[in-house]
Amino acid sequence: MFTKRHIISTRDFSKEEIDYVLNRAEKLEIYARAQGPEEGRESDLLEGKILANLFYEPSTRTRFSFETAMKRLGGDVINLSSTEASSVAKGENLADTIRTVSGYCDVIALRHPQEGASRMAASFSSVPIINAGDGAGQHPTQTLLDLYTIKREGLLDGLRIALIGDLKYGRTVHSLAYALSLYGTTLFFVSPEALRMPEEIKMDLKEAGAEVFESTDIKEVIDRK
């Protein structure tokens, strides 16, 4: 289902595919807990595989999350965490970097300040690209983690969820809104007027049948029946 597949946007996945990922994550978590910390790494599922972290923006949690996950599954990691210490500083463009790095690894996690960079990189890569955040575009792996967290607390289907704050530039809420629409979620967007959810995203969600409401006041959403 996912062999050699890029992970660029939550819009590229069906509900069934997301459910598969969440169910797989649950099994891995159960296995890891059963092993216990004294057993060392939890799995050799990715033994012999190499992840390349290409982060053109500063990151702590996302980069460490990818690196830790890869190592706990038995794989190895190579990192580009400073463009000043790489060929980027000499003017190498993203396409050439991707062509080169894809020859050293089995998968690339890319974070880039430019929206659409991951999709463009996918066209030059010989290995799968995982979008670890591209400008104000998408952050699909964060969405999968959010969905898994919600699922652990109960059901995903038919919820009423408010997304609050910077909805214009927040790539995490863009990805999450698309994914939640697959589960019949009623979406409440709460933000200042200047930071409202982009019109094209709202139109896409409504065309997909999602119920969408907007407000500048969280109290109005809380009081809504």
Side-chain angles (χ1 to χ4, degrees):
M1 182 185 293
F2 294 103
T3 301
K4 298 294 185 180
R5 182 167 173 179
H6 303 293
I7 299 177
I8 307 299
S9 167
T10 53
R11 297 190 69 185
D12 299 332
F13 291 86
S14 67
K15 180 176 182 292
E16 291 72 26
E17 289 170 332
I18 292 176
D19 284 339
Y20 174 86
V21 173
L22 301 184
N23 291 334
R24 183 64 171 166
E26 183 178 26
K27 291 177 181 178
L28 287 172
E29 182 181 20
I30 292 171
Y31 176 77
R33 288 183 174 181
Q35 292 292 95
E38 68 281 359
E39 297 293 333
R41 76 185 189 206
E42 283 79 359
S43 170
D44 60 0
L45 184 65
L46 296 180
E47 185 174 4
K49 301 297 184 181
I50 297 175
L51 163 71
N53 277 332
L54 298 187
F55 280 63
Y56 288 73
E57 288 183 322
S59 172
T60 300
R61 287 170 293 275
T62 301
R63 185 169 68 86
F64 279 13
S65 293
F66 277 109
E67 187 163 350
T68 301
M70 191 68 179
K71 289 183 176 180
R72 287 191 184 280
L73 292 172
D76 289 309
V77 182
I78 54 178
N79 282 296
L80 169 69
S81 56
S82 172
T83 56
E84 289 79 8
S86 73
S87 294
V88 175
K90 298 187 293 185
E92 182 174 272
N93 61 38
L94 179 60
D96 286 340
T97 297
I98 292 295
R99 288 190 186 100
T100 301
V101 173
S102 63
Y104 293 107
C105 64
D106 300 284
V107 61
I108 295 173
L110 174 66
R111 169 167 286 193
H112 198 280
Q114 183 178 344
E115 185 173 344
S118 290
R119 196 169 294 281
M120 185 275 283
S123 65
F124 294 99
S125 179
S126 60
V127 300
I129 297 288
I130 299 176
N131 181 2
D134 61 337
Q138 293 270 322
H139 198 335
T141 58
Q142 178 66 58
T143 286
L144 292 171
L145 178 58
D146 292 340
L147 293 178
Y148 184 62
T149 302
I150 295 170
K151 182 182 178 183
R152 286 182 60 185
E153 297 299 318
L155 298 175
L156 269 173
D157 295 283
L159 298 177
R160 293 157 52 89
I161 294 181
L163 303 181
I164 305 169
D166 178 2
L167 307 184
K168 183 175 182 179
Y169 300 106
R171 56 195 173 203
T172 54
V173 290
H174 297 168
S175 290
L176 185 57
Y178 281 123
L180 288 173
S181 70
L182 298 175
Y183 291 88
T185 304
T186 300
L187 294 166
F188 298 89
F189 297 146
V190 185
S191 69
E193 290 288 343
L195 297 174
R196 295 173 68 176
M197 186 68 81
E199 288 297 324
E200 62 269 21
I201 294 180
K202 290 185 292 185
M203 288 178 58
D204 288 343
L205 292 170
K206 290 175 181 177
E207 288 177 4
E211 286 191 86
V212 175
F213 301 93
E214 284 189 289
S215 178
T216 58
D217 186 355
I218 183 60
K219 188 176 184 301
E220 180 180 316
V221 172
I222 293 173
D223 293 339
R224 191 182 185 99
K225 302 299 182 182

